[in-house]
Coordinates of all heavy atoms in Angstrom, one line a residue:
G1 N -0.5 17.3 20.3 CA 0.2 18.3 19.5 C 0.0 19.7 20.1 O 0.9 20.5 20.2
L2 N -1.2 20.0 20.5 CA -1.6 21.3 21.1 C -0.8 21.5 22.4 O -0.2 22.6 22.6 CB -3.1 21.4 21.3 CG -3.5 22.6 22.1 CD1 -3.3 23.9 21.4 CD2 -5.0 22.5 22.5
F3 N -0.8 20.5 23.3 CA -0.2 20.7 24.6 C 1.3 20.9 24.4 O 2.0 21.7 25.0 CB -0.4 19.5 25.4 CG -1.9 19.4 26.0 CD1 -2.3 18.2 26.5 CD2 -2.7 20.5 25.9 CE1 -3.6 18.1 27.0 CE2 -4.0 20.4 26.3 CZ -4.5 19.2 26.9
L4 N 1.9 20.1 23.5 CA 3.4 20.2 23.3 C 3.8 21.5 22.7 O 4.8 22.1 23.0 CB 3.9 19.0 22.4 CG 3.7 17.6 23.1 CD1 3.9 16.5 22.1 CD2 4.8 17.5 24.2
S5 N 2.9 22.0 21.8 CA 3.1 23.3 21.2 C 3.0 24.4 22.3 O 3.9 25.3 22.3 CB 2.1 23.6 20.1 OG 2.1 24.9 19.6
E6 N 2.1 24.3 23.2 CA 2.0 25.3 24.2 C 3.1 25.2 25.2 O 3.4 26.2 25.9 CB 0.6 25.2 24.9 CG -0.6 25.5 24.1 CD -1.9 25.6 24.8 OE1 -2.1 24.7 25.7 OE2 -2.7 26.5 24.5
L7 N 3.8 24.1 25.3 CA 4.9 23.9 26.1 C 6.2 24.5 25.4 O 7.3 24.4 26.0 CB 5.1 22.5 26.5 CG 4.1 21.9 27.5 CD1 4.3 20.4 27.6 CD2 4.3 22.5 28.9
G8 N 6.0 24.9 24.2 CA 7.2 25.6 23.5 C 7.7 24.9 22.3 O 8.5 25.5 21.6
A9 N 7.3 23.7 22.0 CA 7.8 23.0 20.9 C 7.3 23.6 19.6 O 6.2 24.2 19.5 CB 7.4 21.5 20.9
D10 N 8.1 23.5 18.5 CA 7.7 23.8 17.2 C 7.0 22.6 16.6 O 7.6 21.6 16.5 CB 8.9 24.2 16.3 CG 9.4 25.6 16.5 OD1 8.5 26.5 16.7 OD2 10.6 25.8 16.5
V11 N 5.7 22.7 16.3 CA 5.0 21.6 15.8 C 4.4 21.9 14.4 O 3.8 23.0 14.2 CB 3.8 21.2 16.7 CG1 3.0 20.0 16.2 CG2 4.3 21.0 18.2
V12 N 4.7 21.1 13.4 CA 4.1 21.2 12.1 C 3.1 20.1 11.9 O 3.5 18.9 12.1 CB 5.2 21.3 11.0 CG1 6.0 20.0 11.0 CG2 4.6 21.6 9.7
R13 N 1.9 20.5 11.5 CA 0.9 19.5 11.2 C 1.0 19.1 9.7 O 1.0 19.9 8.8 CB -0.5 20.0 11.5 CG -0.8 20.2 12.9 CD -2.2 20.8 13.1 NE -3.2 20.0 12.5 CZ -3.8 20.3 11.3 NH1 -3.4 21.3 10.6 NH2 -4.7 19.5 10.8
I14 N 0.9 17.8 9.5 CA 1.0 17.3 8.1 C -0.4 16.7 7.7 O -0.8 15.7 8.3 CB 2.1 16.2 8.0 CG1 3.5 16.7 8.4 CG2 2.1 15.7 6.5 CD1 4.0 17.9 7.5
D15 N -1.0 17.3 6.8 CA -2.3 16.8 6.3 C -2.0 16.2 4.9 O -1.1 16.6 4.2 CB -3.3 18.0 6.1 CG -4.2 18.2 7.2 OD1 -4.9 17.2 7.5 OD2 -4.3 19.3 7.8
R16 N -2.9 15.3 4.5 CA -2.8 14.8 3.2 C -3.4 15.8 2.2 O -4.2 16.7 2.6 CB -3.6 13.5 3.0 CG -3.1 12.4 3.9 CD -3.6 11.0 3.6 NE -3.2 10.0 4.5 CZ -3.3 8.7 4.3 NH1 -3.9 8.3 3.1 NH2 -3.0 7.8 5.2
I17 N -3.0 15.8 1.0 CA -3.4 16.8 0.0 C -4.9 16.8 -0.1 O -5.5 17.9 -0.2 CB -2.8 16.4 -1.4 CG1 -1.3 16.8 -1.4 CG2 -3.6 17.1 -2.5 CD1 -1.1 18.3 -1.5
K18 N -5.6 15.6 -0.1 CA -7.0 15.6 -0.2 C -7.6 15.1 1.2 O -8.5 14.3 1.2 CB -7.4 14.6 -1.3 CG -7.0 15.1 -2.7 CD -7.5 14.1 -3.7 CE -7.1 14.6 -5.1 NZ -7.5 13.6 -6.2
S19 N -7.2 15.7 2.2 CA -7.7 15.4 3.6 C -9.1 15.8 3.8 O -9.5 16.9 3.2 CB -6.8 16.0 4.7 OG -6.8 17.4 4.5
A20 N -9.9 15.0 4.5 CA -11.2 15.4 4.8 C -11.3 16.4 5.9 O -10.4 16.5 6.8 CB -12.0 14.1 5.3
S21 N -12.2 17.3 5.8 CA -12.4 18.4 6.8 C -13.0 17.8 8.1 O -13.7 16.8 8.0 CB -13.2 19.5 6.3 OG -14.5 19.1 5.9
S22 N -12.7 18.4 9.2 CA -13.3 18.0 10.5 C -14.8 18.1 10.5 O -15.4 19.0 10.0 CB -12.7 18.8 11.6 OG -13.4 18.5 12.8
F23 N -15.5 17.0 11.0 CA -16.9 17.1 11.1 C -17.4 18.1 12.2 O -18.6 18.4 12.2 CB -17.5 15.7 11.4 CG -17.1 15.2 12.8 CD1 -18.0 15.4 13.9 CD2 -16.0 14.4 13.0 CE1 -17.7 14.9 15.1 CE2 -15.7 14.0 14.3 CZ -16.5 14.2 15.4
L24 N -16.5 18.5 13.0 CA -16.9 19.4 14.1 C -17.2 20.9 13.6 O -18.0 21.6 14.2 CB -15.8 19.5 15.2 CG -15.6 18.2 16.0 CD1 -14.4 18.3 16.9 CD2 -16.9 17.8 16.7
R25 N -16.5 21.3 12.6 CA -16.7 22.6 12.0 C -16.6 23.7 13.0 O -17.4 24.6 13.1 CB -18.1 22.7 11.3 CG -18.4 21.7 10.2 CD -17.6 22.1 8.9 NE -18.1 21.5 7.8 CZ -17.8 20.2 7.4 NH1 -16.9 19.6 8.1 NH2 -18.3 19.7 6.3
L26 N -15.5 23.7 13.8 CA -15.3 24.7 14.8 C -14.6 26.0 14.1 O -13.9 25.9 13.2 CB -14.3 24.2 15.9 CG -15.0 23.2 16.9 CD1 -13.9 22.6 17.7 CD2 -15.9 23.9 17.8
P27 N -14.9 27.2 14.7 CA -14.1 28.4 14.2 C -12.7 28.2 14.5 O -12.3 27.5 15.5 CB -14.8 29.5 15.0 CG -15.4 28.9 16.2 CD -15.8 27.5 15.8
A28 N -11.8 28.9 13.8 CA -10.4 28.7 13.9 C -9.9 28.9 15.3 O -9.0 28.2 15.8 CB -9.7 29.7 12.9
E29 N -10.4 29.9 16.0 CA -9.9 30.3 17.3 C -10.3 29.2 18.4 O -9.8 29.2 19.5 CB -10.3 31.6 17.8 CG -11.8 31.8 17.9 CD -12.6 32.2 16.7 OE1 -11.9 32.1 15.6 OE2 -13.7 32.5 16.7
A30 N -11.2 28.3 18.0 CA -11.6 27.3 19.0 C -11.3 25.9 18.5 O -11.5 24.9 19.2 CB -13.2 27.3 19.1
D31 N -10.6 25.8 17.4 CA -10.3 24.4 16.8 C -9.0 23.9 17.4 O -7.9 24.1 16.9 CB -10.2 24.5 15.3 CG -10.1 23.2 14.6 OD1 -10.0 22.2 15.3 OD2 -10.1 23.1 13.4
I32 N -9.1 23.1 18.5 CA -7.9 22.6 19.2 C -7.2 21.6 18.3 O -6.0 21.3 18.6 CB -8.3 22.0 20.5 CG1 -9.1 20.7 20.4 CG2 -8.9 23.0 21.5 CD1 -9.3 20.0 21.7
D33 N -7.8 21.1 17.3 CA -7.1 20.2 16.4 C -6.0 20.9 15.5 O -5.2 20.3 14.9 CB -8.1 19.5 15.4 CG -8.9 18.4 16.2 OD1 -8.5 18.0 17.3 OD2 -9.8 17.9 15.6
R34 N -6.1 22.3 15.5 CA -5.2 23.0 14.7 C -4.5 24.2 15.4 O -3.5 24.7 14.9 CB -6.0 23.6 13.4 CG -6.4 22.5 12.5 CD -7.4 23.0 11.5 NE -7.7 21.9 10.5 CZ -8.4 20.9 10.6 NH1 -9.1 20.7 11.8 NH2 -8.6 20.0 9.7

């Protein structure tokens, strides 16, 4: 998703309402999952 977004695609991430948070706890500017 990150790579395709950087290639120009519009990507929307869909989380579940009660989704678990990432165990990595990265700051927003380093969180490649988002």
Side-chain angles (χ1 to χ4, degrees):
L2 171 65
F3 289 166
L4 293 167
S5 172
E6 290 188 322
L7 289 171
D10 281 320
V11 183
V12 60
R13 290 178 57 261
I14 303 298
D15 263 304
R16 298 194 187 194
I17 285 287
K18 295 182 179 179
S19 58
S21 59
S22 169
F23 68 91
L24 294 175
R25 299 287 197 275
L26 286 168
E29 64 274 11
D31 190 352
I32 65 169
D33 286 349
R34 292 169 171 77

